[in-house]
């Protein structure tokens, strides 16, 4: 049984643990470095707002093999329990309860372990600016870790917090940063707060196995405290959300003693401006008087090492319940620019889901070019129709990126550059001095056959392109010689190895394993329901790729049949319609928000896990809807007896969803929306 110890003893043990942990960390990291110099990795933000399904720990873990080929770091939601369904920004537990909206503690630990085995570091979302209370304004949970009980008190709340303005007793010190009334602002001058946070960070790193931190809302407390915490915990990676102008971000980085990187918000704003204004020259202009951290105008005293670039995140994306500031189109071109430029790129999960193969190929080109967070760039052309940059590592030109409405507007020298990728409003060229093979399809998992193009990126015409598909090493005597531009058809699991061969031997090798997985086969939808069941059906458009959610309510009396929290409740996937669209079913579970006398909703909305959504639709019992509204009404059925098999129409299915043209065996079948027994 774990026992509590005195505060003095707790401090002694905490100091001892910190010393031991510091010795452990010193083997790999001499000091808190914020972000490594000349780092060539790419990060994925593994969530978006309300991504409760896509960001489940088990769901992310299943993608480890595919992610590991492209991402070195994955930033996941704050993983502690928040007392209910939550994205994690109202954190409640720091040590004891890690059964969250994204899975159990066991699943979290397995995710981090699997990621680590695949070479992926997991970044924790650290929320220490504020904290949620248990039940009143000023109470916090008592939690025991390693025999020490940690608990914040009213004395750890800032003197100018909302709690004080509502008559509650709080601590003596004013906030060291910007205040926020959403929860209790923590007083980082408090020794108790510092002890709790330090222990919490050690727990994240040494116990759960995280690699580093993303600090939330760092303008809410002094930068010197992030410095204190990082020097204590020594994460390999640290990045702060300092949402402000460039000079404020630079001062914050300096204030942390450069123990932390920061998100390059101005980089994001220049991309947003270029796309939303349809003026690509905006990529080379300031945003409201601010240059991006990775800008060429910061050559002297460059902050590129500490710049984590991005084009969209969970706070800027389009959300149905808030006025956000999204990029309205051309997200593929935005990512092409992001992944070509200096800094450490952070790809947004929804962009990865929409353009996985293209983003994979971009990251492969970035790596072959050797682009790092310390690379520089030269603008070659800037106008409204397109923007072209040459990105360098050292003094060597490595990658040319062109984005815009007219990517053919800038034509580089054929003797210097080889086109390797092109798509909607973007092009990539690699320097021929790299002397490397390239494939426009990176390693990963696929469910449909595809063609991959082999390209020789070289300024030496005598170099030969040779490939194998059996995993063996290509050489002058092994493999198939191919001209640059050759397309290969891949329709099964294949390890494609491509090399440039010279008279002296092999110069460079590129190996990609393409793993084929059978696509999921869904049965035809069985749209049936029982007498007394309150339900509706929805045929989702092909563009809706997430779980369909239902929001159902009445205005008079005012009540909600789907939990009262948007987007409501998830629907059951039944199968596919004749046109291939997925068909979902919502069934009322019998609970209502206000417990009114209403027995069924009057209005209903279906959404793609929040957005997009249908209009407000009138509810019809057993209604079959699509995005245009009610299409037909399905009547409730029981089990019908059939004496004559000929009375079953040709669209007959067994209970596994398999189509049966002429049912011969006895059993239960579905025909015309009804279940029948054939004897």
């Amino acid at each position: 049984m774990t026992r509590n110890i005195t505060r003095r003893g707790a401090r002694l043990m905490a100091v001892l643990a910190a010393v031991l942990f510091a010795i452990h960390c010193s083997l790999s990291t001499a000091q808190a470095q914020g972000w490594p110099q000349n780092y060539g990795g790419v990060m994925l933000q593994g969530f978006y707002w309300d991504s409760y399904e896509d960001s489940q720990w088990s769901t992310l873990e299943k993608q480890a093999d595919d992610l590991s080929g492209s991402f070195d770091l994955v930033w996941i939601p704050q993983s502690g329990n928040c007392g209910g369904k939550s994205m994690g920004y109202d954190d409640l537990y720091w040590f004891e309860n890690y059964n969250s909206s994204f899975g159990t503690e066991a699943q979290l630990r397995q995710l981090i372990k699997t990621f680590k085995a695949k070479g992926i570091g997991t970044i924790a979302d650290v929320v220490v600016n504020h904290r949620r209370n248990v039940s009143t304004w000023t109470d916090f949970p008592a939690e025991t870790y390693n025999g020490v009980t940690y608990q914040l008190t009213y004395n750890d709340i800032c003197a100018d917090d909302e709690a004080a303005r509502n008559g509650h007793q709080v601590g003596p010190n004013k906030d060291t940063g910007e205040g926020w009334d959403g929860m209790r602002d923590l007083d980082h001058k408090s020794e108790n707060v510092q002890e709790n946070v330090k222990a919490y960070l050690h727990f994240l790193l040494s116990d759960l196995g995280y690699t580093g931190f993303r600090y939330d809302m760092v303008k809410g407390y002094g930068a010197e405290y992030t410095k204190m915490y990082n020097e204590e915990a020594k994460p390999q990676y640290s990045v702060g959300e300092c949402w402000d102008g460039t000079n404020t971000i630079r001062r914050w980085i300096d204030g942390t003693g450069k123990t932390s990187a920061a998100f390059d918000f101005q980089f994001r704003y220049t991309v947003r401006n270029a796309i939303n204004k349809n003026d690509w020259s905006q990529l080379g202009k300031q945003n409201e008087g601010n240059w991006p951290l990775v800008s060429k105008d910061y050559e002297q005293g460059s902050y590129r090492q500490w710049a984590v670039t991005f084009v969209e995140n969970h706070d800027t994306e389009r959300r149905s319940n808030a006025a956000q500031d999204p990029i309205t189109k051309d997200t593929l071109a935005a990512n092409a620019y992001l992944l070509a430029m200096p800094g450490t790129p952070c790809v947004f999960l929804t962009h990865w889901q929409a353009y996985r193969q293209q983003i994979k190929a971009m990251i492969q080109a970035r790596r072959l070019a050797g682009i790092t967070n310390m690379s520089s760039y030269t603008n070659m052309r800037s106008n409204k129709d397109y923007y072209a940059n040459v990105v360098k590592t050292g003094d060597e030109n490595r990658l040319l990126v062109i984005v815009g409405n007219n990517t053919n507007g800038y034509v580089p020298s054929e003797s210097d550059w080889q086109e390797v990728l092109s798509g909607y409003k973007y092009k990539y060229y690699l320097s021929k001095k790299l002397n490397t093979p390239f494939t426009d399809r990176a390693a990963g998992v696929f469910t449909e056959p595809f063609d991959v193009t082999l390209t020789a990126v070289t300024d030496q015409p005598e170099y030969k392109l040779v490939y194998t598909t059996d995993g063996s090493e290509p050489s002058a005597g092994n493999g198939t010689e191919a001209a640059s531009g050759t397309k290969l058809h891949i329709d099964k699991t294949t390890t494609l190895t491509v090399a440039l061969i010279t008279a002296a031997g092999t110069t460079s090798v590129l190996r990609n394993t393409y793993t084929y997985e059978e696509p999921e086969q869904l049965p035809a939808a069985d749209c049936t329901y029982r007498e007394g069941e309150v339900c509706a059906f929805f045929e989702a458009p092909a563009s809706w790729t997430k779980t369909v959610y239902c929001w159902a309510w009445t205005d008079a009396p005012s009540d909600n049949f789907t939990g009262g929290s948007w987007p409501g409740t998830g629907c059951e996937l039944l199968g596919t319609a004749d046109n291939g669209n997925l068909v979902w079913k919502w069934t009322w579970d019998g609970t209502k928000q206000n417990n009114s006398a209403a027995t069924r909703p009057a209005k209903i909305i279906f959404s793609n896990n929040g957005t997009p959504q249908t209009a407000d639709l009138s509810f019809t019992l057993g209604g079959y809807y699509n995005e245009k509204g009610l299409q037909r009404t399905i009547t409730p059925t029981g089990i019908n007896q059939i004496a004559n098999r000929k009375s079953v129409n040709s669209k007959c299915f067994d209970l596994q969803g398999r189509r049966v043209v002429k049912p011969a065996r006895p059993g239960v079948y579905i025909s015309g929306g009804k279940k029948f027994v054939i004897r």
Side-chain angles (χ1 to χ4, degrees):
M1 178 180 291
T2 302
R3 63 184 180 87
N4 292 351
I5 62 177
T6 65
R7 173 58 63 186
R8 186 175 180 180
R11 291 177 185 173
L12 217 65
M13 289 188 66
V15 169
L16 179 60
V19 170
L20 294 173
F21 187 73
I23 292 172
H24 168 75
C25 286
S26 67
L27 298 175
S28 58
T29 308
Q31 60 181 359
Q33 60 184 351
W35 209 268
Q37 192 174 43
N38 297 312
Y39 183 63
V42 180
M43 183 162 69
L44 173 71
Q45 180 177 353
F47 64 97
Y48 51 89
W49 203 258
D50 292 336
S51 62
Y52 296 113
E53 179 181 2
D54 288 350
S55 300
Q56 285 287 309
W57 308 142
S58 57
T59 300
L60 291 173
E61 187 197 357
K62 291 175 184 177
Q63 302 173 51
D65 283 330
D66 204 36
L67 294 172
S68 66
S70 300
F71 297 105
D72 307 87
L73 303 169
V74 176
W75 159 30
I76 65 174
Q78 193 282 123
S79 51
N81 186 284
C82 297
K85 190 173 184 180
S86 170
M87 287 301 297
Y89 294 108
D90 53 345
D91 55 332
L92 180 59
Y93 292 96
W94 283 0
F95 299 99
E96 287 188 345
N97 192 336
Y98 273 75
N99 296 318
S100 74
S101 299
F102 301 96
T104 66
E105 179 178 334
Q107 291 171 327
L108 171 66
R109 290 182 180 275
Q110 187 59 46
L111 166 68
I112 295 173
K113 181 181 178 180
T114 300
F115 273 5
K116 185 176 182 179
K118 300 295 181 181
I120 301 172
T122 308
I123 301 297
D125 208 327
V126 175
V127 184
V128 294
N129 169 70
H130 52 268
R131 196 171 177 188
R132 182 176 177 177
N133 303 105
V134 177
S135 59
T136 68
W137 282 79
T138 59
D139 62 336
F140 298 93
E143 302 177 86
T144 301
Y145 174 62
N146 279 349
V148 181
T149 296
Y150 296 93
Q151 185 174 27
L152 301 181
T153 72
Y154 69 85
N155 209 46
D156 298 315
I157 300 172
C158 293
D160 45 358
D161 184 79
E162 183 188 16
R165 300 195 299 273
N166 282 272
H168 296 276
Q169 188 174 2
V170 296
N173 301 315
K174 288 188 176 182
D175 205 328
T176 57
E178 295 180 1
W180 185 58
D181 288 345
M183 266 158 280
R184 304 292 66 77
D185 284 353
L186 300 184
D187 172 20
H188 288 267
K189 289 182 179 180
S190 163
E191 184 178 346
N192 187 44
V193 169
Q194 293 171 14
E195 287 182 358
N196 274 257
V197 172
K198 289 175 182 178
Y200 172 44
L201 298 183
H202 281 308
F203 170 73
L204 292 175
L205 292 176
S206 61
D207 197 315
L208 290 180
Y210 280 104
T211 300
F213 308 138
R214 177 267 185 186
Y215 286 101
D216 179 65
M217 201 174 172
V218 297
K219 291 199 300 176
Y221 54 101
E224 65 270 23
Y225 298 105
T226 299
K227 179 178 186 292
M228 174 192 295
Y229 301 143
N230 278 344
E231 287 179 343
E232 168 76 20
K234 292 182 174 60
Q236 294 182 46
Y237 304 92
S238 171
V239 56
E241 181 207 24
C242 186
W243 195 339
D244 212 308
T246 310
N247 288 334
T248 299
I249 299 174
R250 294 174 74 189
R251 284 194 296 270
W252 183 82
I253 293 172
D254 290 340
T256 72
K258 294 185 175 176
T259 65
S260 184
F263 285 103
D264 193 345
F265 277 88
Q266 303 311 312
F267 181 94
R268 189 264 169 187
Y269 285 130
T270 60
V271 175
R272 177 209 61 185
N273 291 345
I275 291 174
N276 289 1
K277 294 179 180 180
N278 197 29
D279 179 359
W280 295 90
S281 69
Q282 295 287 329
L283 291 174
K285 297 180 180 180
Q286 297 184 54
N287 173 68
E288 298 178 355
N290 292 285
W291 288 107
L293 290 174
V294 297
S295 171
K296 57 185 175 61
D297 294 272
Y298 283 142
E299 286 287 358
Q300 189 171 359
S302 173
Y303 281 71
R304 291 191 187 122
Q305 177 179 345
W306 299 281
V308 177
T309 53
F310 71 104
V311 295
E312 202 79 288
N313 70 18
H314 61 293
D315 284 323
T316 64
E317 64 170 322
R318 186 186 301 278
R319 282 158 46 189
S320 60
N321 59 342
Q324 304 306 114
D325 181 30
I327 292 174
T328 57
K329 56 184 178 178
D330 298 338
T331 54
L332 186 55
N335 281 277
Y337 183 71
L338 169 74
L339 292 165
M341 291 290 282
T344 299
C346 182
V347 176
F348 190 41
L349 180 60
T350 60
H351 294 179
W352 167 251
Q353 291 172 329
Y355 302 111
R356 187 168 61 96
Q357 295 303 335
Q358 295 94 325
I359 288 175
K360 273 178 172 287
M362 294 170 188
I363 294 174
Q364 178 176 260
R366 178 187 179 87
R367 287 185 169 154
L368 286 175
I371 306 302
T372 74
N373 58 356
M374 299 301 291
S375 295
S376 59
Y377 67 94
T378 300
N379 178 247
M380 307 304 293
R381 195 67 55 83
S382 174
N383 58 48
K384 183 176 181 179
D385 289 332
Y386 63 90
Y387 191 82
N389 275 350
V390 167
V391 186
K392 304 178 179 183
T393 296
D395 295 328
E396 296 292 328
N397 294 339
R398 296 298 184 93
L399 190 153
L400 167 63
V401 56
I402 308 172
V403 290
N405 302 326
N406 179 21
T407 55
N408 294 322
Y410 181 77
V411 182
S413 166
E414 289 187 8
S415 61
D416 296 328
W417 297 99
Q418 175 65 55
E419 181 181 329
V420 292
L421 291 174
S422 65
Y424 186 66
K425 297 189 179 182
Y426 75 91
K427 276 188 180 181
Y428 271 21
Y429 292 80
L430 290 177
S431 169
K432 288 188 173 182
K433 291 183 180 180
L434 290 174
N435 289 314
T436 181
F438 185 82
T439 63
D440 65 347
R441 182 88 174 205
V445 177
F446 68 100
T447 57
E448 295 180 352
F450 62 90
D451 290 337
V452 57
T453 302
L454 313 183
T455 303
V457 182
T458 179
D459 56 2
Q460 304 298 317
E462 69 274 16
Y463 285 8
K464 297 179 181 179
L465 197 65
V466 179
Y467 71 90
T468 64
T469 56
D470 59 2
S472 63
E473 195 83 357
S475 65
N478 181 50
T480 303
E481 184 176 335
S484 185
T486 295
K487 292 183 182 295
L488 299 180
H489 188 67
I490 306 295
D491 59 6
K492 61 183 179 181
T493 296
T494 303
T495 296
L496 173 63
T497 311
V498 192
L500 282 180
I501 308 295
T502 72
T506 302
T507 63
S508 58
V509 177
L510 177 63
R511 178 175 286 106
N512 283 325
T513 296
Y514 308 116
T515 304
Y516 177 74
E517 291 184 355
E518 287 283 352
E520 183 181 7
Q521 299 294 327
L522 294 173
D526 172 18
C527 296
T528 59
Y529 70 102
R530 304 180 308 276
E531 289 282 359
E533 187 178 1
V534 177
C535 65
F537 304 88
F538 182 73
E539 180 185 314
S543 59
W544 289 25
T545 57
K546 303 177 185 131
T547 296
V548 167
Y549 275 71
C550 177
W551 179 257
W553 75 101
T554 55
D555 291 322
S558 177
D559 214 334
N560 190 283
F561 291 69
T562 47
S565 178
W566 178 263
T569 57
C571 298
E572 175 192 1
L573 178 60
L574 298 181
T576 62
D578 289 342
N579 58 9
N581 289 342
L582 299 183
V583 179
W584 303 77
K585 179 184 180 182
W586 170 72
T587 302
W588 181 38
D589 64 3
T591 62
K592 289 175 287 188
Q593 186 183 27
N594 298 329
N595 198 29
S596 71
T599 58
R600 65 181 64 174
K603 297 286 186 180
I604 193 167
I605 292 174
F606 296 97
S607 73
N608 187 28
N609 196 6
T611 182
Q613 66 183 59
T614 65
D616 294 3
L617 306 172
S618 295
F619 175 78
T620 297
L621 182 63
Y624 185 97
Y625 299 83
N626 62 19
E627 75 275 21
K628 297 178 182 178
L630 182 66
Q631 300 301 302
R632 64 180 185 274
T633 301
I634 296 171
T635 57
T637 63
I639 298 293
N640 297 282
Q641 304 297 319
I642 290 220
N644 186 354
R645 289 181 172 84
K646 292 182 180 180
S647 62
V648 178
N649 65 36
S650 60
K651 291 184 180 180
C652 180
F653 303 89
D654 63 18
L655 293 183
Q656 285 71 48
R658 295 172 297 204
R659 187 164 181 170
V660 181
V661 178
K662 294 181 179 180
R665 297 180 179 179
V668 179
Y669 295 87
I670 301 166
S671 178
K674 297 182 179 181
K675 291 182 180 178
F676 298 91
V677 172
I678 295 180
R679 299 188 183 281

